Amino acid sequence: MGRCFIQLVSGPAGSGKSTYCTAIQQHCATLGKMRRRTVHVANLDPAAENFGYDLAFDIRDLITVEDVMEELGLGPNGALIYCMEYLLQNMDWLEDELDKFDDDEYLVLDCPGQIELYTHAPIIKRMIDQMTQWGHHRMASVFLVDATFVCDAPKFISGSLLSLSAMIALELPHVNVLSKVDLVDDAEVEKILDCESASVLWQREEYNMA
């Protein structure tokens, strides 16, 4: 089979990755006849529970955090890292799943949110490198940040650094997306985004606290 377009969706836990994947799938399915396309969504988070999208494939068919915690006595984070390392040892499973898609198809991968998978234990980067060796060169990274963080200068700076870390670690074309924007005031978000530097943003925060 061919090598489809792939979008890897990452971001902190609770930032709305699964909701974003659902929205992309539903939006592309409801476009006009000439523009409509099928978007497949797959889950690569072994700790995930509920989805609003139709699953193309699911890492939980290979391994789950719950099973690892029960059998090995690990905590949630340790079990997640174990699951992702297990995936790296069984990449033939992922290769078989990816081979089911044609060149013109679009696949969204809903990835785990723990940042250590991208930095301290670069498991996702190793997975991407293997996918590249298989011929998957049409990949992009989408990083979600909760828009409510934007209105809080320390959280915004933290989210920006997390996004930068992911962009550098994955070495893919990268897009940042603000999620949950309906929960914040548009004017407040624009004020933050218009700041030219972190120092200017921090000065604004100190002024507001004075």
Side-chain angles (χ1 to χ4, degrees), residues 15-147:
S15 59
K17 296 183 294 296
S18 295
T19 302
Y20 166 84
C21 293
T22 301
I24 289 293
Q25 188 177 64
Q26 293 178 349
H27 172 71
C28 292
T30 56
L31 292 173
K33 185 176 181 181
M34 298 299 294
R35 299 166 58 203
R36 185 182 303 127
R37 70 183 305 173
T38 300
V39 172
H40 305 281
V41 183
N43 172 50
L44 288 184
D45 185 354
E49 295 181 355
N50 301 311
F51 309 100
Y53 50 78
D54 296 326
L55 275 168
F57 60 88
D58 189 349
I59 190 177
R60 295 176 306 170
D61 294 332
L62 179 69
I63 191 170
T64 69
V65 163
E66 184 178 0
D67 289 343
V68 172
M69 290 175 62
E70 181 178 345
E71 294 179 15
L72 301 181
L74 297 175
N77 287 338
L80 177 62
I81 292 176
Y82 180 93
C83 288
M84 300 309 293
E85 289 178 341
Y86 184 83
L87 172 63
L88 289 179
Q89 296 169 4
N90 296 271
M91 287 294 283
D92 54 329
W93 173 83
L94 182 60
E95 183 177 20
D96 290 341
E97 294 294 344
L98 294 178
D99 282 345
K100 297 176 182 178
F101 303 100
D102 291 324
D103 284 351
D104 59 346
E105 293 188 275
Y106 202 99
L107 175 64
V108 178
L109 298 179
D110 189 358
C111 299
Q114 281 70 7
I115 194 63
E116 55 264 34
L117 296 175
Y118 305 84
T119 54
H120 302 80
I123 294 173
I124 302 298
K125 178 61 169 68
R126 290 167 59 191
M127 181 186 75
I128 291 172
D129 289 343
Q130 183 62 64
M131 292 166 64
T132 302
Q133 292 181 22
W134 294 335
H136 292 280
H137 300 290
R138 298 183 296 182
M139 293 188 287
S141 169
V142 173
F143 192 90
L144 268 67
V145 176
D146 191 328

Side-chain angles (χ1 to χ4, degrees), residues 157-176:
I157 294 173
S158 174
S160 299
L161 292 174
L162 288 176
S163 172
L164 180 61
S165 296
M167 180 179 69
I168 293 173
L170 299 185
E171 299 181 355
L172 289 176
H174 185 93
V175 178
N176 293 317

